[in-house]
Amino acid sequence: MDDSMSDLVEKGKKRLQWARDHMEVLRKVREEIKERGTLKDMSISMALHVEAKTGILALSLAEAGANVKMASCNPLSTDDSVAEALREEYGMDVFAERGESEEEYYDHLNSTLEHDPDIVIDDGGDLVSLIHKEREDLIDRIQGGCEETTTGIVRLRAMEKDGALEFPVMSINDALMKHLFDNRYGTGQSTIDGLMTATNLQLSGKNFLIGGYGWCGRGIAMRAKGMGADVLVSEVDPVKAVEAKMDGFEVAPAKENIKKADFVVTATGCKNVIGEEEIKNAKDGCILANSGHFNNEINIDALEEHSKSTQIARDDVKEYRMKDGRKLYLLADGRLVNLAVGQGHPAEIMDMSFALQMLGAEYVVKNDLETRVHDIPRELDEKVAKLRLEADGVEIDELSKEQKEYIENWEEGT
Ligand code: ADE
């Protein structure tokens, strides 16, 4: 190994250790599952963002006795130091490189399937979709899967509705201990991290438009407001739009809001949230970023079409000089800014999401599940909550016998 490679491995090892030291919930779950031996000798294929926290999930599964092969679920989110450390130091099969081409990306997903998986762990739905489209031969032996994100769950539910889904999948995303924290506080913090790292500009006093007021959008709004920005929200769901309004944000269609937005972040799981009309209306100097899973939330073709030239303004910042003289800036080619530029969600947040991934994988093995998308059982959600409280040294109240009887007795009103 040459010096630069060993430096890279050393950096990756340190990042892994740092993440491990901040993932107490996963540690407890790992120890319990190892003890039960439920994942021993299971072949697991994973497609997740290859970075330090995910590395600890992969190592946890391996420590519980599983054979793990891992690829990235996004061509721009791999931390090469972590990928290299996992390969060199832990002998793990990791197929991922930051900036990989689309062809390499799919080759890597395919490589995770070389050991004929019993379980698949996915983020965004590409691996499950690939198996259904190209590797039907594997379907009979796959006991089930786990999916991490809103985007992936929307895809899987569409497959289920069409009768196309061929094995059960646990919706990790719908677990309370996942989306209430990962989507909200995780995306909130890591999106600001990505924006600040890419631009080094001030948020305070700026107009900050968020496309989508789901859990991710709510988290981004909360953090942008905390940084002193004036938050604008665009939403298609009337209930979420009312919520955004009552949370104190200005709600209007994206084509209107964008006329005054200094920053725009999309977080919807849908395409063309910032479409041609929005791009035509965008304020001069507007910074466009996406925190949703795929890079189709901002219509990059329309940006290209209406611009006369482009240049790289800073790392991860592409400047579009529009034909009408405006300048617009796109971060990380519209790829999820919190991982392509920022360092992803904080370790304590991924700790809970990945504990649920591990418990979800065990649930698949322990239960003969129907072929559909399944919610994580409430007991597992509560287990993760209790472990989190324990890790934080927080105690909570318990209902007394008298209180329990009171809430179960519908006859007694006063
Ligand atoms: N780190 C690992 N997986 C992640 C995800 N899905 N979102 C943000 N950060 C992550």
Side-chain angles (χ1 to χ4, degrees):
M1 213 190 306
D2 65 23
D3 281 357
S4 64
M5 186 56 93
S6 64
D7 287 351
L8 195 66
V9 171
E10 220 29 58
K11 182 170 164 187
K13 272 169 59 184
K14 292 225 157 79
R15 287 189 171 185
L16 283 163
Q17 188 58 46
W18 180 261
R20 190 186 277 275
D21 290 346
H22 293 86
M23 297 178 88
E24 249 323 89
V25 179
L26 184 58
R27 179 181 69 76
K28 297 233 169 80
V29 167
R30 168 173 69 235
E31 281 170 2
E32 285 179 15
I33 293 182
K34 186 173 174 191
E35 174 90 22
R36 289 194 283 272
T38 30
L39 294 181
K40 191 164 177 338
D41 297 330
M42 289 286 148
S43 294
I44 302 184
S45 302
M46 291 177 38
L48 287 115
H49 302 289
V50 177
E51 47 83 68
K53 286 87 77 182
T54 318
I56 298 305
L57 170 63
L59 291 171
S60 298
L61 292 164
E63 285 162 35
N67 304 311
V68 181
K69 290 188 191 287
M70 173 161 69
S72 181
C73 62
N74 187 295
L76 259 195
S77 62
T78 300
D79 179 333
D80 288 328
S81 70
V82 169
E84 209 50 52
L86 288 169
R87 285 189 282 258
E88 285 297 324
E89 188 69 18
Y90 300 96
M92 183 167 285
D93 286 332
V94 179
F95 310 99
E97 195 180 355
R98 188 183 157 88
E100 62 199 16
S101 66
E102 190 166 326
E103 196 184 335
E104 285 164 336
Y105 173 73
Y106 281 102
D107 283 350
H108 290 159
L109 289 185
N110 267 305
S111 297
T112 68
L113 302 174
E114 274 163 8
H115 61 171
D116 297 351
D118 300 292
I119 302 167
V120 292
I121 299 187
D122 207 357
D123 183 325
D126 277 350
L127 186 59
V128 169
S129 166
L130 174 94
I131 294 169
H132 282 74
K133 288 195 297 212
E134 292 174 25
R135 293 299 308 272
E136 290 242 357
D137 57 302
L138 295 175
I139 278 173
D140 281 348
R141 72 160 289 139
I142 294 177
Q143 296 182 35
C146 295
E147 167 57 50
E148 172 94 358
T149 60
T150 313
T151 302
I153 290 301
V154 168
R155 273 175 107 180
L156 287 165
R157 292 205 194 276
M159 288 172 78
E160 183 184 328
K161 189 158 163 260
D162 276 359
L165 187 66
E166 304 230 38
F167 50 77
V169 183
M170 300 301 295
S171 170
I172 306 303
N173 185 66
D174 288 321
L176 295 171
M177 292 306 293
K178 198 278 181 180
H179 67 260
L180 290 181
F181 305 100
D182 177 316
N183 300 27
R184 183 166 42 168
Y185 298 102
T187 310
Q189 180 168 325
S190 60
T191 297
I192 302 293
D193 170 21
L195 287 181
M196 298 301 83
T197 305
T199 66
N200 189 220
L201 291 177
Q202 177 182 312
L203 276 185
S204 183
K206 300 284 181 68
N207 288 330
F208 191 116
L209 168 59
I210 298 163
Y213 205 66
W215 288 108
C216 295
R218 290 175 182 116
I220 301 167
M222 192 193 287
R223 293 297 173 246
K225 181 181 173 184
M227 299 287 285
D230 290 318
V231 175
L232 318 169
V233 171
S234 296
E235 180 48 78
V236 291
D237 178 330
V239 177
K240 290 179 181 154
V242 173
E243 193 183 352
K245 185 103 189 65
M246 292 223 187
D247 285 345
F249 304 131
E250 205 173 317
V251 178
K255 64 177 192 254
E256 298 304 325
N257 266 339
I258 204 164
K259 289 179 184 165
K260 50 185 177 185
D262 301 295
F263 288 88
V264 175
V265 178
T266 52
T268 68
C270 196
K271 67 191 280 200
N272 288 344
V273 182
I274 301 303
E276 189 170 13
E277 200 172 355
E278 286 74 26
I279 284 165
K280 281 189 191 158
N281 285 355
K283 179 179 167 183
D284 185 23
C286 179
I287 289 165
L288 300 164
N290 166 50
S291 267
H293 188 81
F294 289 117
N295 64 336
N296 56 3
E297 302 211 9
I298 298 167
N299 186 339
I300 300 174
D301 289 345
L303 257 180
E304 303 275 349
E305 216 168 282
H306 290 278
S307 63
K308 54 179 188 234
S309 65
T310 62
Q311 63 155 337
I312 303 303
R314 273 169 67 94
D315 286 353
D316 298 308
V317 183
K318 190 163 177 183
E319 177 182 303
Y320 287 81
R321 282 180 179 251
M322 309 308 280
K323 289 178 184 157
D324 59 14
R326 288 172 305 149
K327 287 186 202 163
L328 302 181
Y329 300 95
L330 179 66
L331 306 192
D333 296 326
R335 302 237 178 239
L336 66 191
V337 72
N338 56 335
L339 274 149
V341 188
Q343 293 186 57
H345 296 356
E348 300 93 324
I349 298 255
M350 294 318 292
D351 185 25
M352 299 188 284
S353 302
F354 288 159
L356 284 161
Q357 283 279 20
M358 207 161 167
L359 289 165
E362 184 186 48
Y363 192 78
V364 164
V365 173
K366 280 185 19 190
N367 296 280
D368 188 15
L369 296 174
E370 243 179 81
T371 294
R372 62 179 174 82
V373 179
H374 293 260
D375 283 338
I376 288 282
R378 177 80 191 189
E379 314 85 80
L380 295 183
D381 239 340
E382 284 187 9
K383 179 185 176 67
V384 170
K386 284 181 187 151
L387 289 174
R388 170 86 268 158
L389 291 171
E390 202 179 299
D392 291 343
V394 175
E395 288 182 16
I396 60 170
D397 290 323
E398 253 183 70
L399 287 174
S400 67
K401 185 165 170 286
E402 189 193 9
Q403 284 174 316
K404 265 193 208 149
E405 279 166 11
Y406 175 73
I407 57 174
E408 279 161 14
N409 178 1
W410 55 270
E411 283 172 333
E412 195 182 337
T414 52

mmCIF file of all heavy atoms in Angstrom, residues 48-55 73 77 122-124 148-149 178 182-183 186-187 190 291 293 336 338-339 342-346 349-350 353-354 357, ligand 1:
data_model
loop_
_atom_site.group_PDB
_atom_site.id
_atom_site.type_symbol
_atom_site.label_atom_id
_atom_site.label_comp_id
_atom_site.label_asym_id
_atom_site.label_seq_id
_atom_site.Cartn_x
_atom_site.Cartn_y
_atom_site.Cartn_z
ATOM 1 N N LEU A 48 -26.477 1.410 0.607
ATOM 2 C CA LEU A 48 -26.689 2.588 1.464
ATOM 3 C C LEU A 48 -25.556 3.576 1.212
ATOM 4 O O LEU A 48 -24.550 3.204 0.617
ATOM 5 C CB LEU A 48 -26.685 2.184 2.952
ATOM 6 C CG LEU A 48 -27.928 1.432 3.440
ATOM 7 C CD1 LEU A 48 -27.567 0.040 3.844
ATOM 8 C CD2 LEU A 48 -28.561 2.124 4.602
ATOM 9 N N HIS A 49 -25.730 4.811 1.690
ATOM 10 C CA HIS A 49 -24.646 5.784 1.544
ATOM 11 C C HIS A 49 -23.429 5.252 2.290
ATOM 12 O O HIS A 49 -23.502 5.035 3.507
ATOM 13 C CB HIS A 49 -25.057 7.133 2.131
ATOM 14 C CG HIS A 49 -26.290 7.687 1.485
ATOM 15 N ND1 HIS A 49 -26.280 8.173 0.201
ATOM 16 C CD2 HIS A 49 -27.575 7.790 1.927
ATOM 17 C CE1 HIS A 49 -27.508 8.579 -0.124
ATOM 18 N NE2 HIS A 49 -28.300 8.355 0.899
ATOM 19 N N VAL A 50 -22.341 5.044 1.569
ATOM 20 C CA VAL A 50 -21.164 4.447 2.212
ATOM 21 C C VAL A 50 -20.371 5.546 2.921
ATOM 22 O O VAL A 50 -19.638 6.312 2.297
ATOM 23 C CB VAL A 50 -20.294 3.708 1.169
ATOM 24 C CG1 VAL A 50 -19.034 3.163 1.833
ATOM 25 C CG2 VAL A 50 -21.088 2.578 0.521
ATOM 26 N N GLU A 51 -20.621 5.667 4.196
ATOM 27 C CA GLU A 51 -19.870 6.620 5.022
ATOM 28 C C GLU A 51 -19.755 6.031 6.411
ATOM 29 O O GLU A 51 -20.181 4.902 6.637
ATOM 30 C CB GLU A 51 -20.475 8.031 4.961
ATOM 31 C CG GLU A 51 -21.953 8.094 5.144
ATOM 32 C CD GLU A 51 -22.351 8.085 6.574
ATOM 33 O OE1 GLU A 51 -22.070 9.059 7.269
ATOM 34 O OE2 GLU A 51 -22.949 7.110 7.030
ATOM 35 N N ALA A 52 -19.208 6.787 7.358
ATOM 36 C CA ALA A 52 -18.791 6.168 8.624
ATOM 37 C C ALA A 52 -19.921 5.479 9.383
ATOM 38 O O ALA A 52 -19.762 4.355 9.859
ATOM 39 C CB ALA A 52 -18.129 7.227 9.503
ATOM 40 N N LYS A 53 -21.079 6.150 9.471
ATOM 41 C CA LYS A 53 -22.153 5.549 10.281
ATOM 42 C C LYS A 53 -22.659 4.272 9.636
ATOM 43 O O LYS A 53 -22.895 3.265 10.310
ATOM 44 C CB LYS A 53 -23.317 6.538 10.464
ATOM 45 C CG LYS A 53 -23.063 7.674 11.411
ATOM 46 C CD LYS A 53 -22.406 8.869 10.743
ATOM 47 C CE LYS A 53 -23.351 9.693 9.926
ATOM 48 N NZ LYS A 53 -22.714 10.828 9.236
ATOM 49 N N THR A 54 -22.792 4.311 8.311
ATOM 50 C CA THR A 54 -23.240 3.110 7.595
ATOM 51 C C THR A 54 -22.198 2.008 7.735
ATOM 52 O O THR A 54 -22.542 0.820 7.807
ATOM 53 C CB THR A 54 -23.439 3.426 6.103
ATOM 54 O OG1 THR A 54 -24.067 4.692 6.000
ATOM 55 C CG2 THR A 54 -24.283 2.374 5.428
ATOM 56 N N GLY A 55 -20.928 2.403 7.752
ATOM 57 C CA GLY A 55 -19.857 1.425 7.955
ATOM 58 C C GLY A 55 -20.066 0.679 9.259
ATOM 59 O O GLY A 55 -19.876 -0.536 9.352
ATOM 60 N N CYS A 73 -25.788 3.807 -2.435
ATOM 61 C CA CYS A 73 -27.100 4.041 -3.056
ATOM 62 C C CYS A 73 -27.109 5.385 -3.768
ATOM 63 O O CYS A 73 -28.157 5.851 -4.177
ATOM 64 C CB CYS A 73 -28.191 3.983 -1.989
ATOM 65 S SG CYS A 73 -27.997 5.256 -0.725
ATOM 66 N N SER A 77 -22.197 10.068 -2.845
ATOM 67 C CA SER A 77 -22.204 10.178 -1.377
ATOM 68 C C SER A 77 -21.138 9.331 -0.677
ATOM 69 O O SER A 77 -21.039 9.356 0.545
ATOM 70 C CB SER A 77 -23.586 9.811 -0.827
ATOM 71 O OG SER A 77 -23.900 8.470 -1.135
ATOM 72 N N ASP A 122 -31.828 -1.599 1.837
ATOM 73 C CA ASP A 122 -31.807 -0.643 0.726
ATOM 74 C C ASP A 122 -32.088 0.772 1.235
ATOM 75 O O ASP A 122 -32.686 0.969 2.284
ATOM 76 C CB ASP A 122 -32.899 -1.062 -0.274
ATOM 77 C CG ASP A 122 -32.594 -0.626 -1.692
ATOM 78 O OD1 ASP A 122 -31.564 0.046 -1.902
ATOM 79 O OD2 ASP A 122 -33.387 -0.954 -2.603
ATOM 80 N N ASP A 123 -31.645 1.750 0.435
ATOM 81 C CA ASP A 123 -31.879 3.158 0.744
ATOM 82 C C ASP A 123 -32.225 3.840 -0.580
ATOM 83 O O ASP A 123 -31.339 4.087 -1.392
ATOM 84 C CB ASP A 123 -30.603 3.751 1.374
ATOM 85 C CG ASP A 123 -30.751 5.197 1.804
ATOM 86 O OD1 ASP A 123 -31.461 5.946 1.128
ATOM 87 O OD2 ASP A 123 -30.137 5.580 2.814
ATOM 88 N N GLY A 124 -33.523 4.029 -0.810
ATOM 89 C CA GLY A 124 -33.952 4.675 -2.053
ATOM 90 C C GLY A 124 -34.630 3.731 -3.026
ATOM 91 O O GLY A 124 -35.269 4.165 -3.982
ATOM 92 N N GLU A 148 -34.895 2.240 3.965
ATOM 93 C CA GLU A 148 -34.535 3.340 4.872
ATOM 94 C C GLU A 148 -35.331 4.635 4.646
ATOM 95 O O GLU A 148 -35.578 5.367 5.594
ATOM 96 C CB GLU A 148 -33.033 3.604 4.633
ATOM 97 C CG GLU A 148 -32.415 4.783 5.290
ATOM 98 C CD GLU A 148 -31.776 4.409 6.626
ATOM 99 O OE1 GLU A 148 -31.862 3.241 7.028
ATOM 100 O OE2 GLU A 148 -31.245 5.324 7.263
ATOM 101 N N THR A 149 -35.694 4.927 3.388
ATOM 102 C CA THR A 149 -36.123 6.312 3.095
ATOM 103 C C THR A 149 -37.585 6.464 2.661
ATOM 104 O O THR A 149 -38.215 5.515 2.216
ATOM 105 C CB THR A 149 -35.302 6.887 1.919
ATOM 106 O OG1 THR A 149 -35.539 6.050 0.791
ATOM 107 C CG2 THR A 149 -33.834 6.939 2.219
ATOM 108 N N LYS A 178 -37.419 6.481 13.573
ATOM 109 C CA LYS A 178 -36.651 6.835 12.381
ATOM 110 C C LYS A 178 -37.074 8.228 11.907
ATOM 111 O O LYS A 178 -36.364 9.196 12.086
ATOM 112 C CB LYS A 178 -36.841 5.768 11.285
ATOM 113 C CG LYS A 178 -35.774 5.803 10.201
ATOM 114 C CD LYS A 178 -36.049 6.833 9.162
ATOM 115 C CE LYS A 178 -35.045 6.885 8.058
ATOM 116 N NZ LYS A 178 -35.345 7.901 7.054
ATOM 117 N N ASP A 182 -34.471 11.124 12.279
ATOM 118 C CA ASP A 182 -33.589 11.104 11.103
ATOM 119 C C ASP A 182 -34.072 12.119 10.066
ATOM 120 O O ASP A 182 -33.324 13.022 9.645
ATOM 121 C CB ASP A 182 -33.605 9.654 10.567
ATOM 122 C CG ASP A 182 -32.814 9.418 9.306
ATOM 123 O OD1 ASP A 182 -32.901 10.234 8.395
ATOM 124 O OD2 ASP A 182 -32.130 8.381 9.224
ATOM 125 N N ASN A 183 -35.353 11.990 9.676
ATOM 126 C CA ASN A 183 -35.856 12.865 8.612
ATOM 127 C C ASN A 183 -35.896 14.321 9.091
ATOM 128 O O ASN A 183 -35.583 15.233 8.327
ATOM 129 C CB ASN A 183 -37.258 12.431 8.176
ATOM 130 C CG ASN A 183 -37.278 11.011 7.642
ATOM 131 O OD1 ASN A 183 -36.439 10.197 8.022
ATOM 132 N ND2 ASN A 183 -38.208 10.690 6.779
ATOM 133 N N GLY A 186 -32.142 15.045 11.629
ATOM 134 C CA GLY A 186 -30.975 14.647 10.827
ATOM 135 C C GLY A 186 -30.892 15.473 9.559
ATOM 136 O O GLY A 186 -29.875 16.131 9.288
ATOM 137 N N THR A 187 -31.971 15.467 8.771
ATOM 138 C CA THR A 187 -31.943 16.230 7.512
ATOM 139 C C THR A 187 -31.812 17.718 7.801
ATOM 140 O O THR A 187 -31.123 18.438 7.070
ATOM 141 C CB THR A 187 -33.208 15.952 6.676
ATOM 142 O OG1 THR A 187 -33.390 14.542 6.586
ATOM 143 C CG2 THR A 187 -33.093 16.521 5.282
ATOM 144 N N SER A 190 -28.003 18.225 8.729
ATOM 145 C CA SER A 190 -27.023 17.900 7.673
ATOM 146 C C SER A 190 -27.233 18.742 6.410
ATOM 147 O O SER A 190 -26.290 18.999 5.663
ATOM 148 C CB SER A 190 -27.032 16.402 7.351
ATOM 149 O OG SER A 190 -28.291 15.974 6.901
ATOM 150 N N SER A 291 -32.223 18.101 -1.086
ATOM 151 C CA SER A 291 -31.901 17.142 -0.021
ATOM 152 C C SER A 291 -32.724 15.867 -0.173
ATOM 153 O O SER A 291 -32.674 15.003 0.702
ATOM 154 C CB SER A 291 -32.175 17.752 1.360
ATOM 155 O OG SER A 291 -30.988 18.327 1.845
ATOM 156 N N HIS A 293 -33.826 12.230 -2.134
ATOM 157 C CA HIS A 293 -32.930 11.125 -2.472
ATOM 158 C C HIS A 293 -32.362 11.220 -3.895
ATOM 159 O O HIS A 293 -31.195 10.932 -4.127
ATOM 160 C CB HIS A 293 -33.646 9.787 -2.280
ATOM 161 C CG HIS A 293 -32.730 8.625 -2.432
ATOM 162 N ND1 HIS A 293 -31.901 8.204 -1.410
ATOM 163 C CD2 HIS A 293 -32.456 7.830 -3.492
ATOM 164 C CE1 HIS A 293 -31.175 7.195 -1.830
ATOM 165 N NE2 HIS A 293 -31.498 6.941 -3.092
ATOM 166 N N LEU A 336 -28.168 14.931 -3.370
ATOM 167 C CA LEU A 336 -28.517 15.296 -1.988
ATOM 168 C C LEU A 336 -27.353 16.010 -1.286
ATOM 169 O O LEU A 336 -26.310 15.432 -1.039
ATOM 170 C CB LEU A 336 -29.094 14.124 -1.208
ATOM 171 C CG LEU A 336 -28.362 12.870 -0.818
ATOM 172 C CD1 LEU A 336 -29.317 11.836 -0.290
ATOM 173 C CD2 LEU A 336 -27.492 12.323 -1.897
ATOM 174 N N ASN A 338 -26.847 17.178 1.608
ATOM 175 C CA ASN A 338 -26.413 16.848 2.984
ATOM 176 C C ASN A 338 -25.379 15.728 3.003
ATOM 177 O O ASN A 338 -24.620 15.618 3.952
ATOM 178 C CB ASN A 338 -27.620 16.497 3.868
ATOM 179 C CG ASN A 338 -28.458 15.371 3.320
ATOM 180 O OD1 ASN A 338 -28.461 15.125 2.121
ATOM 181 N ND2 ASN A 338 -29.172 14.678 4.177
ATOM 182 N N LEU A 339 -25.337 14.913 1.957
ATOM 183 C CA LEU A 339 -24.326 13.854 1.905
ATOM 184 C C LEU A 339 -23.285 14.088 0.824
ATOM 185 O O LEU A 339 -22.129 13.695 0.975
ATOM 186 C CB LEU A 339 -25.006 12.498 1.669
ATOM 187 C CG LEU A 339 -25.478 11.824 2.958
ATOM 188 C CD1 LEU A 339 -26.693 10.986 2.713
ATOM 189 C CD2 LEU A 339 -24.367 11.000 3.567
ATOM 190 N N GLY A 342 -22.225 17.847 2.599
ATOM 191 C CA GLY A 342 -22.140 17.690 4.062
ATOM 192 C C GLY A 342 -21.753 16.267 4.425
ATOM 193 O O GLY A 342 -21.565 15.416 3.549
ATOM 194 N N GLN A 343 -21.657 16.026 5.719
ATOM 195 C CA GLN A 343 -21.197 14.699 6.169
ATOM 196 C C GLN A 343 -22.333 13.759 6.554
ATOM 197 O O GLN A 343 -22.138 12.801 7.294
ATOM 198 C CB GLN A 343 -20.272 14.872 7.374
ATOM 199 C CG GLN A 343 -18.983 15.552 6.997
ATOM 200 C CD GLN A 343 -18.052 15.576 8.186
ATOM 201 O OE1 GLN A 343 -17.707 14.552 8.767
ATOM 202 N NE2 GLN A 343 -17.648 16.760 8.571
ATOM 203 N N GLY A 344 -23.559 14.065 6.058
ATOM 204 C CA GLY A 344 -24.698 13.211 6.391
ATOM 205 C C GLY A 344 -25.205 13.509 7.786
ATOM 206 O O GLY A 344 -24.716 14.410 8.471
ATOM 207 N N HIS A 345 -26.176 12.714 8.190
ATOM 208 C CA HIS A 345 -26.801 12.962 9.489
ATOM 209 C C HIS A 345 -25.815 12.692 10.629
ATOM 210 O O HIS A 345 -24.918 11.862 10.505
ATOM 211 C CB HIS A 345 -28.006 12.045 9.681
ATOM 212 C CG HIS A 345 -29.120 12.282 8.707
ATOM 213 N ND1 HIS A 345 -29.115 13.280 7.774
ATOM 214 C CD2 HIS A 345 -30.286 11.619 8.543
ATOM 215 C CE1 HIS A 345 -30.236 13.233 7.082
ATOM 216 N NE2 HIS A 345 -30.962 12.225 7.516
ATOM 217 N N PRO A 346 -26.055 13.339 11.774
ATOM 218 C CA PRO A 346 -25.205 13.095 12.944
ATOM 219 C C PRO A 346 -25.232 11.622 13.359
ATOM 220 O O PRO A 346 -26.238 10.930 13.163
ATOM 221 C CB PRO A 346 -25.855 13.953 14.036
ATOM 222 C CG PRO A 346 -26.760 14.897 13.343
ATOM 223 C CD PRO A 346 -27.125 14.326 12.034
ATOM 224 N N ILE A 349 -28.084 10.193 15.465
ATOM 225 C CA ILE A 349 -29.355 10.000 14.750
ATOM 226 C C ILE A 349 -29.297 8.697 13.951
ATOM 227 O O ILE A 349 -30.214 7.862 14.013
ATOM 228 C CB ILE A 349 -29.597 11.185 13.788
ATOM 229 C CG1 ILE A 349 -29.721 12.483 14.577
ATOM 230 C CG2 ILE A 349 -30.763 10.900 12.855
ATOM 231 C CD1 ILE A 349 -31.076 13.045 14.738
ATOM 232 N N MET A 350 -28.203 8.509 13.209
ATOM 233 C CA MET A 350 -28.099 7.278 12.403
ATOM 234 C C MET A 350 -28.022 6.066 13.326
ATOM 235 O O MET A 350 -28.380 4.952 12.940
ATOM 236 C CB MET A 350 -26.883 7.326 11.470
ATOM 237 C CG MET A 350 -26.959 8.375 10.380
ATOM 238 S SD MET A 350 -28.559 8.550 9.575
ATOM 239 C CE MET A 350 -28.735 7.018 8.693
ATOM 240 N N SER A 353 -31.598 4.981 13.559
ATOM 241 C CA SER A 353 -32.087 4.462 12.271
ATOM 242 C C SER A 353 -31.459 3.102 11.982
ATOM 243 O O SER A 353 -32.126 2.176 11.517
ATOM 244 C CB SER A 353 -31.720 5.421 11.134
ATOM 245 O OG SER A 353 -32.255 6.684 11.376
ATOM 246 N N PHE A 354 -30.167 2.977 12.259
ATOM 247 C CA PHE A 354 -29.489 1.725 11.918
ATOM 248 C C PHE A 354 -29.771 0.621 12.934
ATOM 249 O O PHE A 354 -29.758 -0.559 12.586
ATOM 250 C CB PHE A 354 -27.990 1.972 11.733
ATOM 251 C CG PHE A 354 -27.680 2.728 10.459
ATOM 252 C CD1 PHE A 354 -26.479 3.417 10.295
ATOM 253 C CD2 PHE A 354 -28.578 2.744 9.394
ATOM 254 C CE1 PHE A 354 -26.193 4.102 9.110
ATOM 255 C CE2 PHE A 354 -28.309 3.432 8.214
ATOM 256 C CZ PHE A 354 -27.111 4.114 8.074
ATOM 257 N N GLN A 357 -32.718 -0.710 11.432
ATOM 258 C CA GLN A 357 -32.379 -1.544 10.256
ATOM 259 C C GLN A 357 -31.986 -2.942 10.716
ATOM 260 O O GLN A 357 -32.405 -3.951 10.138
ATOM 261 C CB GLN A 357 -31.198 -0.933 9.475
ATOM 262 C CG GLN A 357 -31.533 0.253 8.610
ATOM 263 C CD GLN A 357 -32.138 -0.133 7.257
ATOM 264 O OE1 GLN A 357 -32.652 -1.222 7.081
ATOM 265 N NE2 GLN A 357 -32.095 0.778 6.319
HETATM 266 N N1 ADE B 1 -25.768 8.585 6.543
HETATM 267 C C1 ADE B 1 -25.982 7.327 6.181
HETATM 268 N N2 ADE B 1 -27.155 7.159 5.599
HETATM 269 C C2 ADE B 1 -27.719 8.377 5.582
HETATM 270 C C3 ADE B 1 -28.958 8.859 5.099
HETATM 271 N N3 ADE B 1 -29.860 8.060 4.536
HETATM 272 N N4 ADE B 1 -29.186 10.172 5.216
HETATM 273 C C4 ADE B 1 -28.270 10.978 5.774
HETATM 274 N N5 ADE B 1 -27.111 10.583 6.283
HETATM 275 C C5 ADE B 1 -26.830 9.287 6.177
#
